[in-house]
Amino acid sequence: MNQPQQSLPLSRTRSTDPEHLANEIIDRLMYRIGKNSRAAKPYDWLEASILVIRDRAIERWMETTSDTYAAGTKRVYYLSLEFLIGRLMRDAVSNLGLLEPMRDALKILKVDLDLIAELEADAALGNGGLGRLAACFMESMATVGLPAYGYGIRYRHGLFRQKISDGYQVELPETWLEHGNPWEFDRREAAYEIGFGGRVEFHEASGAEEKFVWVPQERVIATAYDTPIVGWRAERVNTLRLWKAEPLDPIRLDAFNAGDHAGSLAESNRADALTRVLYPADTSPAGQELRLRQEYFFSAASLKDIIRRHLQQYETLDNLGEKVSVQLNDTHPAVCVLELMRLLVDEHGMTSTKAWKITQETISYTNHTLLPEALESWPVPLFERMLPRHMQILYEINARLLRQARTELRMHDDQIRNISLIDEDGERRVRMGNLAFAGAHSINGVSALHTELMKETVFADLHKMFPTRINNKTNGITPRRWLMQCNPGLFSLIREAIGDGFMDDIEKIADIEKFAKDAEFQKQFAAVKLANKERLAGLVRERMGVKVNPESLFDIQIKRIHEYKRQLLNIIEAVALYDQIRSHPERDWVPRVKFFAGKAAPTYYNAKLIIKLANDVARVINANPSVREVLKIVFVPNYNVSLAEVLVPAANLSEQISTAGMEASGTGNMKFALNGAITIGTMDGANVEISEQVGMDNIVIFGLSASEVAAKRAEGYDPRQVIERSPELSQALTAIASGVFSPDDPDRYKGLIGGLYDHDWFMVAADFDSYAAAQRRVDAIWSDSSDWWEKSILNTARMAWFSSDRTIREYAREIWKVDI
């Protein structure tokens, strides 16, 4: 067994004395950045500070890597197209125990840590919950002591930067890498050729043995960039490895010298496009091809790296399933099933039967959606043209699967069609969800409700075929990022009340429950919340020129803009409330500010129209003197992790109002509740488990259940009748559709509102009256200050179960079979 050469133990006793740290910062400033303290700008101080922090992390990084090799421990590899890690400085400095020493060191140098920390670029490596979950999981894997790698793509621009122009979303490139990334290390030795297209050749080797050789037409180089991920108290530092695509030759000199200057860079530009943008629009054939190329590129590079590392230590792949777990985060890396089979059979000489057994032992798959359009599929001609050998392997797997279904389980034709890896309803397409299911030993949902619905809907027949594979692992969030770091005021209050124990064991946060009715503690809790609201109010005024009253109820819905998440329901209720306030000014209305934030996919017309509607409604309501002290609407542009870290601690009310049965889990709901917000929501996703943990008296539930939604659709739901029976809803819809909020274009929202009358697939009309009544219940709770803060404190006290540490321990114990 080969192991890396052992080095002398690295020192973990570096001084944390502020003066010593200040000298280290000056040292990095001079010798790494090339400036002295007089010439240094804020960005220079930030980079110098990061380098000091990073050096401390590197020592633990190397130690934990060596320990893993020495122990022969099973490794977990988490493959995700998104890692929404956000800013890393505060995360790392806190987990290393250096926050206050570094703050004091910078004070000596007359630099404010908080001010320079705000300058750090927000890594644009994800879209929303999927990517943020992956980031929380990486931090938790290091925290609980799990040897793990994350694998993804080093997007140069990632998801777009959102600008709001005249109320419309405008997509601009996110330039987070413009000035480099001081956290990452270029690993030039970890570079792999990745092929696309070409042909498959058949060879006979040693008699009758068959051998297939894929000869790609195009090749690019995947090069690795590593970022250390520091666990709590730096007990372990794991690796996030991101891949960048580079051409084999940066320039074709023959073409350049012949005068074809643009053509000489074609290969370089094609490689560069692979890792430039997250989720290229796939409405065109070119966009679909680029998306598939991205997914295969990072999956293939990751598997080559995993196998290289495994063989370096064990010299055989026979024990791959014993020593390696590959977790697919959604269907984006599902092509790993085919690539691992290709590597084992074509490049390492295994029989397909043995390779299939090892593939299933090694791979597990997390499903994140029940939406058919989100379960990826690819046109067969595209897939076969891009990955011809993989298509052969897919047909072989499918034949094995369908024969088993037909002969062993006696399944009928409809079941066979549902199980097949090829969808033949219309254009023949490769079903990536079915492929991931077939090639994995474990398929997990991300909330209890979602997991049960998986068994009944998208994977019903595959579940009948493999009844032990589906299991539940309810999502979680890291309390280090989403309490200790983003809400230092609340963290300090809890620490003062119950001591430090909850920092290492979040379960102990339950000890604050005994203060829920304590008037003095409620007062202090409310003061922390008010300070956070004042911070958000300052940000909104500075960025948008909108003034909001921090004493108002802050009602916040922040997430990807999508019709099933029902920002539209929230906006329509705001319009109805606006009408009621004007009609009944004599009532004692609760002052409320409704905040929205989120990005819409560039080609998702209705989602982008909902953003415009939110801004149009805000423009009218905020300019009306009769309501402006009672109701305001704010759409905060360019939602990202750093903005969430301001919005979440400031929320009084958390909007989790998706159509029941359509949200797999949600993690925003957990972040808000941990920070003392009360949830208004449907019984969907993790809301179900949140209600069980915090108690039904401390959450505001409304609307149809998942089974009721399914029944309504099945029985022929008529939304027009529902709308006509609800005067408030009808009047609000008429106002929007007739142009009250769009006088420059009265027909702007006719189609959007007409969809509610015609089909209302997302049950906006069906749930409106229940939602409006629930909002008035919220008003009643808010009006009783003691009741509100008791419920708010109980939400924080009872959220420990939603720690991603708990989730990761369940993955490790029940799926990955790793002792930690």
Side-chain angles (χ1 to χ4, degrees):
M1 182 171 69
N2 295 328
Q3 294 184 6
Q5 183 178 352
Q6 296 296 306
S7 58
L8 293 174
L10 292 163
S11 170
R12 297 182 63 192
T13 59
R14 283 200 189 199
S15 173
T16 58
D17 174 72
E19 289 197 8
H20 183 90
L21 287 168
N23 288 331
E24 284 196 50
I25 294 169
I26 292 295
D27 178 83
R28 304 303 188 281
L29 194 64
M30 180 175 292
Y31 295 108
R32 303 288 289 279
I33 299 171
K35 288 192 176 180
N36 60 33
S37 59
R38 291 188 300 278
K41 304 299 182 187
Y43 284 101
D44 302 318
W45 288 113
L46 170 66
E47 186 172 352
S49 299
I50 287 174
L51 292 173
V52 170
I53 297 161
R54 192 188 73 171
D55 286 354
R56 299 301 213 286
I58 289 169
E59 294 181 353
R60 284 300 295 139
W61 197 15
M62 292 182 176
E63 286 178 4
T64 51
T65 300
S66 296
D67 290 346
T68 300
Y69 271 103
T73 309
K74 187 175 188 178
R75 286 185 175 88
V76 172
Y77 296 99
Y78 196 84
L79 272 63
S80 179
L81 204 59
E82 299 184 40
F83 284 95
L84 201 55
I85 54 178
R87 293 167 175 161
L88 287 178
M89 177 179 169
R90 196 178 295 274
D91 206 35
V93 75
S94 175
N95 283 2
L96 285 161
L98 289 172
L99 183 57
E100 293 311 316
M102 281 295 292
R103 189 186 303 279
D104 293 341
L106 286 163
K107 275 184 184 176
I108 292 170
L109 302 170
K110 297 182 171 50
V111 177
D112 187 317
L113 182 145
D114 293 324
L115 289 179
I116 63 170
E118 292 295 317
L119 299 175
E120 185 178 3
D122 204 313
L125 298 170
N127 178 23
L130 182 81
R132 186 53 231 171
L133 178 76
C136 283
F137 277 7
M138 285 300 299
E139 195 265 5
S140 279
M141 284 189 269
T143 291
V144 304
L146 188 70
Y149 267 73
Y151 280 111
I153 291 179
R154 182 182 180 267
Y155 303 102
R156 180 179 298 186
H157 298 302
L159 194 66
F160 60 86
R161 177 165 54 90
Q162 182 193 56
K163 180 182 177 183
I164 301 299
S165 178
D166 190 29
Y168 288 101
Q169 171 178 291
V170 177
E171 300 94 25
L172 300 171
E174 180 59 79
T175 56
W176 76 282
L177 278 173
E178 185 176 18
H179 300 292
N181 177 9
W183 290 107
E184 69 182 8
F185 293 84
D186 180 357
R187 303 300 195 198
R188 298 182 185 183
E189 71 280 6
Y192 304 95
E193 279 196 16
I194 307 298
F196 301 96
R199 67 187 188 278
V200 180
E201 295 180 351
F202 172 73
H203 297 270
E204 285 188 358
S206 65
E209 183 181 338
E210 295 180 347
K211 185 172 177 63
F212 295 89
V213 177
W214 177 29
V215 185
Q217 182 178 5
E218 177 191 355
R219 291 181 174 88
V220 298
I221 301 295
T223 57
Y225 287 77
D226 286 357
T227 298
I229 303 296
V230 183
W232 177 239
R233 300 202 188 279
E235 286 303 310
R236 183 170 191 91
V237 179
N238 282 334
T239 303
L240 174 60
R241 174 160 286 187
L242 302 175
W243 299 105
K244 177 185 177 184
E246 296 181 343
L248 269 67
D249 296 309
I251 185 172
R252 285 183 50 214
L253 284 175
D254 57 339
F256 188 87
N257 291 330
D260 185 8
H261 301 151
S264 68
L265 297 173
E267 184 179 339
S268 181
N269 291 337
R270 191 167 172 81
D272 185 56
L274 256 178
T275 53
R276 196 170 265 280
V277 175
L278 169 68
Y279 294 146
D282 60 357
T283 52
S284 67
Q288 290 181 22
E289 178 177 324
L290 180 54
R291 178 89 64 96
L292 178 57
R293 284 163 60 89
Q294 282 186 335
E295 293 182 3
Y296 176 68
F297 166 80
F298 104 93
S299 298
S302 303
L303 285 176
K304 285 176 182 283
D305 199 45
I306 291 165
I307 287 176
R308 186 268 309 164
R309 186 177 298 108
H310 182 82
L311 287 175
Q312 176 180 306
Q313 187 165 7
Y314 298 107
E315 299 181 344
T316 178
L317 293 175
D318 290 351
N319 64 345
L320 189 69
E322 296 174 34
K323 295 297 183 179
V324 166
S325 278
V326 174
Q327 186 72 38
L328 311 181
N329 191 30
D330 216 348
T331 55
H332 308 126
V335 73
C336 277
V337 174
L338 304 176
E339 175 67 3
L340 184 53
M341 283 289 290
R342 187 190 72 82
L343 292 171
L344 294 177
V345 173
D346 293 359
E347 298 192 9
H348 295 277
M350 285 190 189
T351 66
S352 61
T353 300
K354 182 177 179 180
W356 185 236
K357 180 176 181 293
I358 290 175
T359 295
Q360 289 181 311
E361 289 172 349
T362 304
I363 289 177
S364 44
Y365 158 55
T366 301
N367 172 272
H368 285 278
T369 184
L370 301 172
L371 299 177
E373 67 270 21
L375 279 172
E376 286 185 309
S377 65
W378 300 107
V380 166
L382 168 64
F383 202 95
E384 192 159 25
R385 176 169 57 82
M386 294 299 301
L387 302 169
R389 176 59 180 142
H390 300 76
M391 199 70 212
Q392 291 179 341
I393 295 169
L394 184 135
Y395 277 124
E396 181 184 344
I397 294 170
N398 203 37
R400 185 196 309 257
L401 191 69
L402 299 188
R403 277 196 295 267
Q404 183 182 353
R406 178 79 72 184
T407 60
E408 295 180 23
L409 302 175
R410 306 293 180 187
M411 288 188 162
H412 55 69
D413 286 347
D414 286 344
Q415 291 175 305
I416 295 289
R417 276 194 293 273
N418 291 335
I419 286 168
S420 178
L421 306 185
I422 305 292
D423 182 359
E424 299 195 35
D425 293 335
E427 178 190 38
R428 297 174 74 242
R429 301 179 71 90
V430 178
R431 291 168 163 160
M432 302 308 283
N434 284 24
L435 175 63
F437 195 113
H441 67 274
S442 167
I443 296 87
N444 72 279
V446 290
S447 73
L449 175 62
H450 168 238
T451 300
E452 290 308 306
L453 290 173
M454 279 171 57
K455 297 175 183 178
E456 298 168 8
T457 57
V458 291
F459 294 133
D461 291 307
L462 278 164
H463 176 58
K464 289 173 187 172
M465 190 170 181
F466 303 106
T468 62
R469 286 192 187 178
I470 294 180
N471 61 91
N472 181 55
K473 300 290 172 283
T474 297
N475 284 343
I477 58 171
T478 167
R480 273 78 57 184
R481 172 70 71 113
W482 294 108
L483 176 61
M484 297 181 193
Q485 293 162 35
C486 79
N487 200 342
L490 183 54
F491 168 58
S492 296
L493 176 63
I494 295 169
R495 193 176 181 185
E496 182 181 333
I498 62 174
D500 293 350
F502 77 104
M503 296 164 62
D504 297 293
D505 179 6
I506 192 63
E507 295 287 340
K508 292 182 179 176
I509 200 172
D511 291 346
I512 67 165
E513 186 167 334
K514 62 190 175 189
F515 299 107
K517 294 180 181 294
D518 183 279
E520 181 57 30
F521 189 81
Q522 287 184 359
K523 181 180 177 182
Q524 294 172 322
F525 198 95
V528 168
K529 182 66 74 173
L530 180 60
N532 291 329
K533 291 165 71 175
E534 288 170 343
R535 179 187 178 202
L536 174 56
L539 179 147
V540 166
R541 186 163 191 176
E542 178 185 341
R543 293 188 186 179
M544 305 173 64
V546 177
K547 183 180 178 181
V548 298
N549 180 5
E551 299 285 350
S552 302
L553 187 156
F554 276 19
D555 174 349
I556 301 184
Q557 186 177 20
I558 49 174
K559 51 187 79 243
R560 181 165 49 97
I561 308 298
H562 196 291
E563 286 171 282
Y564 89 83
K565 293 179 183 288
R566 297 202 297 191
Q567 286 91 352
L568 183 58
L569 173 61
N570 194 347
I571 297 167
I572 293 168
E573 196 278 330
V575 171
L577 179 59
Y578 172 60
D579 288 339
Q580 290 178 40
I581 293 169
R582 290 185 299 165
S583 299
H584 298 282
E586 79 285 359
R587 292 181 185 171
D588 190 15
W589 296 101
V590 168
R592 182 187 292 246
V593 182
K594 279 184 171 285
F595 291 89
F596 296 86
K599 298 176 181 179
T603 57
Y604 191 168
Y605 177 80
N606 273 6
K608 296 181 79 168
L609 194 60
I610 288 168
I611 291 175
K612 174 61 173 170
L613 176 61
N615 283 287
D616 277 350
V617 170
R619 177 180 48 79
V620 171
I621 291 178
N622 296 351
N624 191 317
S626 66
V627 302
R628 61 188 306 170
E629 298 305 318
V630 180
L631 179 64
K632 279 199 171 177
I633 314 291
V634 180
F635 189 98
V636 189
N638 202 37
Y639 179 55
N640 57 17
V641 176
S642 300
L643 183 57
E645 289 170 342
V646 178
L647 285 156
V648 167
N652 297 119
L653 187 67
S654 162
E655 296 270 357
Q656 308 298 330
I657 60 175
S658 53
T659 310
M662 302 194 78
E663 183 73 85
S665 171
T667 54
N669 46 8
M670 303 168 192
K671 294 162 194 165
F672 279 115
L674 180 61
N675 283 272
I678 293 173
T679 301
I680 182 170
T682 51
M683 277 298 212
D684 195 28
N687 287 356
V688 176
E689 287 145 295
I690 290 175
S691 69
E692 293 168 355
Q693 294 291 324
V694 305
M696 289 299 291
D697 290 342
N698 303 305
I699 189 171
V700 180
I701 296 295
F702 73 93
L704 300 170
S705 67
S707 60
E708 289 169 338
V709 168
K712 267 195 176 296
R713 288 172 177 162
E715 69 192 17
Y717 163 57
D718 183 1
R720 188 173 295 274
Q721 289 185 7
V722 173
I723 294 168
E724 290 171 353
R725 287 197 301 263
S726 173
E728 292 297 333
L729 173 59
S730 180
Q731 291 170 34
L733 295 181
T734 298
I736 295 169
S738 65
V740 168
F741 299 96
S742 54
D744 58 318
D745 182 3
D747 293 337
R748 181 178 296 147
Y749 301 113
K750 270 189 176 176
L752 183 67
I753 301 305
L756 299 184
Y757 281 90
D758 294 339
H759 48 81
D760 188 26
W761 179 255
F762 300 102
M763 300 288 162
V764 171
D767 274 349
F768 175 83
D769 283 346
S770 179
Y771 177 59
Q775 289 286 19
R776 303 295 73 79
R777 294 204 304 275
V778 169
D779 289 345
I781 300 168
W782 179 262
S783 298
D784 183 343
S785 176
S786 177
D787 188 29
W788 182 275
W789 294 114
E790 179 184 346
K791 294 179 187 300
S792 184
I793 293 165
L794 288 174
N795 267 269
T796 296
R798 295 175 177 176
M799 286 300 293
W801 190 78
F802 294 97
S803 166
S804 49
D805 297 352
R806 183 270 310 158
T807 312
I808 288 300
R809 287 190 177 102
E810 289 182 3
Y811 272 96
R813 182 175 62 250
E814 299 168 19
I815 297 177
W816 303 328
K817 309 299 182 186
V818 181
D819 293 326
I820 51 175

